[in-house]
Amino acid sequence: MGAPVTATEPAPRPSAPKPDRYAWIALANTTAAIFMASLDGSIVIIALPAIFRGINLDPLSAGNITYLLWMIMGYRLVQAVLVVNLGKLGDMFGRVKMYNAGFVVFTVASVLLSFDPYHGTRGALWLIGWRFLQAIGGSMLMANSAAILTDAFPAERRGFALGTNQIAALAGMFIGLVAGGLLAAWDWRAVFWINVPVGVFGTIWAYLMLRDNGVRRRSRIDWWGNITFALGLGSILVGTTYGIQPYHGDSMGWESPVVLGELIGGAAMLAVFGVIETRIAEPMFRLSLFKIREFTAGNLAGLLISIARGGIQFMLIIWLQGIWLPLHGYTYEQTPLWAGIFLLPMTAGFLVSGPVSGILSDRFGSRGIATSGTAVFAASFIALMLLPVNFPYWAFAVLIAVNGVGSGMFASPNSSSIMGSVPASDRGAASGMRSTFQNSGTAVSIGVVFTLMIAGLSSSLPSTLSGGLVKLGVPQSIAHQVATLPPVSSLFASVLGVNPIQHLLAPSGVLAKLPVASQRALTGREFFPSLLSGPFHSGLIVVFGVSAGLSLLAGLASLLRGKRQSAQSLP
């Protein structure tokens, strides 16, 4: 008889390799850097009233709204255009070198911003110019941080690391709203000073502790690709910025020959860029990466989510500052700070769901969790459509927290999926391409959301505002003139913590001639919010509906990513 057959027990599942000490150092440093760079993208929004008062410039007067828009949009525009180039340069010359240089550039620009020696338009140009430099430094950090983390962490733990990094970026956007209000109440320069100690410490820390342990690809700089990409994307984003400004009596400038030329010319330049990238041996934008299903689907989903999310921040701020806070006893001067505070549940949602979803994606894969996040995200927008304008705060807080949870559920697994799908030698370029889609989507979203809202207000606000002004004694001719002014001024007045009615009536001088009771009513906390509530809510329903639709499309794109496969070397 043969030897007895013994049942063999299944081999235990091997445990995932643990990150070493260097991996945690890389995570801590890059998370601090990304948080700082993202914080600065939003901290200025709430501090704008104090900044413009500090340089003695009225951003809402004729001809000055351009400075306001460039202070808001310029930072993200520069990041969208440059981040992919800087990621590619990181692949060529060293990701840590580019990352360290980004810390230095960002810190120097922050110092220069705080020492604005001018006032008026020259002071505004000084700030806008150095914000561009600051955005270049932030782009160098963002373009290379994900690649550094991907190099440092084993594949089984990458979702947690990239998720933590991504949530730091999203959390920075909303924490900046609170920080901007607190710091601006002390001194407007403090919104730039806060970067200096973090930047100095981070620069020294990164220089001493980070190392280039990734695969470096030696190649030539794609000059024509860089030039055509920057001109094409930059032209489209600049056209979007000017498209929401008034033009020759119209509420927006989309019919302006300059805007149309920028949009059409930018699209044509990007088409030329695409042709160039397919015909050179060492392209800047590796179109061959789009042959990877997971990479393409993840970036498409990320772009759609960015468009759905980017401009919503402004709508929520205007909703709070222009309507809800004044109706609940807050003065217009107090609203910027409190708007940031009341949006904190959204940040809490990010911070809770982001790291958790990253850990879960490491174990169960990215597709299911990221797709579920888009569904939660879409559901929050649908629920916000049902909320009355003068809502109970607990309901608003719950819904924006759910919105944050959905965004966090998507962001971490999606980033891990994108970065884990590409060959090691292309991680810098892939990180830059991912950030480009995200930043471009955010910039486009602001244009889309303001366009939808301004179009809605233009159809109903003038008659409502004119009738309300006449009832309180404003002459018919002046009421009509004020009511037909572009609504973008009223929207930005709310963002700046300024009473829109007081601002609109100031040029005519009629306010001082009215009875005291009428003056108090017009400049009080209820007149404009009550008039704006109906038209604004109609616009909100359209905006939230579009965001919900884009979120569902992002979910479909996320489903199409398929199961993860090992990245292979691409031609």
Side-chain angles (χ1 to χ4, degrees):
M1 295 180 65
V5 178
T6 57
T8 58
E9 297 182 359
R13 182 180 178 180
S15 59
K18 294 183 178 181
D20 57 15
R21 179 174 176 270
Y22 171 74
W24 297 114
I25 292 173
L27 177 60
N29 190 278
T30 57
T31 298
I34 292 301
F35 180 82
M36 180 182 69
S38 300
L39 181 87
D40 221 76
S42 62
I43 196 172
V44 169
I45 296 173
I46 295 298
L48 282 173
I51 290 173
F52 282 110
R53 282 196 303 270
I55 62 174
N56 297 322
L57 180 71
D58 179 6
L60 298 176
S61 65
N64 286 348
I65 199 168
T66 299
Y67 302 118
L68 173 64
L69 281 173
W70 276 109
M71 283 293 293
I72 293 173
M73 299 275 287
Y75 188 85
R76 298 197 183 281
L77 189 151
V78 172
Q79 284 189 331
V81 171
L82 292 182
V83 72
V84 68
N85 306 325
L86 297 170
K88 176 67 175 178
L89 291 176
D91 286 339
M92 294 169 58
F93 302 111
R95 293 157 191 164
V96 171
K97 287 181 181 178
M98 292 296 295
Y99 176 86
N100 291 347
F103 252 130
V104 174
V105 171
F106 192 93
T107 305
V108 170
S110 298
V111 173
L112 292 169
L113 278 162
S114 66
F115 289 103
D116 190 344
Y118 302 112
H119 291 88
T121 57
R122 294 176 69 189
L125 290 172
W126 173 281
L127 294 174
I128 291 169
W130 292 119
R131 281 279 285 175
F132 284 170
L133 181 65
Q134 192 181 49
I136 293 173
S139 299
M140 296 167 80
L141 295 171
M142 288 187 168
N144 293 282
S145 62
I148 291 171
L149 284 180
T150 306
D151 291 338
F153 276 79
E156 295 82 359
R157 301 298 178 94
R158 228 168 253 158
F160 167 75
L162 291 169
T164 301
N165 218 234
Q166 184 74 4
I167 293 306
L170 296 173
M173 290 172 55
F174 286 94
I175 291 176
L177 299 177
V178 180
L182 293 172
L183 293 171
W186 172 40
D187 191 312
W188 67 267
R189 294 174 178 82
V191 301
F192 304 116
W193 290 337
I194 192 175
N195 299 319
V196 177
V198 178
V200 171
F201 176 75
T203 301
I204 297 172
W205 186 21
Y207 179 78
L208 294 175
M209 302 300 294
L210 296 185
R211 60 177 184 261
D212 259 316
N213 58 357
V215 177
R216 188 177 301 178
R217 179 189 291 272
R218 288 290 184 183
S219 59
R220 297 178 181 178
I221 296 177
D222 175 17
W223 292 109
W224 284 111
N226 276 272
I227 292 170
T228 52
F229 179 78
L231 289 176
L233 183 58
S235 181
I236 289 175
L237 296 181
V238 169
T240 302
T241 301
Y242 283 103
I244 60 177
Q245 295 188 46
Y247 172 73
H248 287 185
D250 293 332
S251 58
M252 290 179 287
W254 294 112
E255 297 181 1
S256 163
V258 174
V259 170
L260 291 174
E262 288 170 337
L263 296 176
I264 296 171
M269 193 62 69
L270 287 179
V272 172
F273 164 75
V275 173
I276 290 173
E277 297 302 278
T278 60
R279 297 189 176 185
I280 63 173
E282 298 173 348
M284 170 203 101
F285 205 99
R286 292 210 71 204
L287 298 180
S288 56
L289 291 177
F290 289 108
K291 295 178 181 178
I292 303 173
R293 180 177 175 181
E294 196 171 359
F295 179 83
T296 302
N299 276 305
L300 177 58
L303 175 65
L304 292 169
I305 286 293
S306 294
I307 297 174
R309 178 182 57 212
I312 294 299
Q313 181 185 68
F314 285 93
M315 291 302 105
L316 295 177
I317 290 171
I318 293 171
W319 193 357
L320 288 170
Q321 292 186 207
I323 299 176
W324 195 85
L325 287 169
L327 289 178
H328 286 78
Y330 295 85
T331 65
Y332 280 95
E333 291 76 14
Q334 295 174 321
T335 57
L337 172 60
W338 284 100
I341 293 173
F342 281 121
L343 286 173
L344 281 177
M346 184 177 286
T347 306
F350 287 146
L351 297 177
V352 170
S353 66
V356 172
S357 62
I359 293 171
L360 292 176
S361 70
D362 287 336
R363 184 171 182 181
F364 301 109
S366 299
R367 181 171 64 169
I369 299 172
T371 304
S372 299
T374 63
V376 173
F377 199 52
S380 69
F381 285 121
I382 295 172
L384 283 168
M385 293 168 63
L386 304 176
L387 205 61
V389 176
N390 194 8
F391 49 78
Y393 178 72
W394 68 266
F396 179 80
V398 169
L399 293 182
I400 64 173
V402 171
N403 186 277
V405 168
S407 186
M409 287 176 63
F410 170 80
S412 303
N414 194 62
S415 294
S416 177
S417 172
I418 292 171
M419 293 302 300
S421 68
V422 300
S425 60
D426 292 308
R427 284 171 182 165
S431 177
M433 292 162 75
R434 177 185 63 87
S435 296
T436 294
F437 283 114
Q438 181 175 311
N439 289 321
S440 299
T442 299
V444 169
S445 177
I446 294 171
V448 169
V449 165
F450 270 103
T451 296
L452 293 173
M453 181 57 70
I454 292 170
L457 292 179
S458 297
S459 63
S460 54
L461 183 60
S463 59
T464 304
L465 180 57
S466 178
L469 291 173
V470 170
K471 285 182 181 179
L472 289 175
V474 177
Q476 180 77 41
S477 59
I478 294 177
H480 176 75
Q481 179 184 357
V482 169
T484 54
L485 290 174
V488 67
S489 295
S490 297
L491 293 178
F492 281 126
S494 298
V495 173
L496 293 172
V498 175
N499 186 322
I501 296 299
Q502 191 169 358
H503 175 79
L504 293 173
L505 290 176
S508 67
V510 72
L511 190 60
K513 302 175 183 177
L514 296 176
V516 174
S518 296
Q519 292 184 37
R520 289 176 178 172
L522 289 169
T523 59
R525 294 190 296 265
E526 295 185 5
F527 178 76
F528 185 74
S530 298
L531 290 179
L532 184 63
S533 294
F536 185 78
H537 189 251
S538 299
L540 273 181
I541 290 176
V542 175
V543 168
F544 288 149
V546 170
S547 291
L550 289 170
S551 302
L552 293 175
L553 289 176
L556 178 61
S558 181
L559 280 174
L560 294 176
R561 77 178 77 226
K563 295 182 179 180
R564 168 161 294 182
Q565 298 177 354
S566 299
Q568 303 295 326
S569 297
L570 296 174

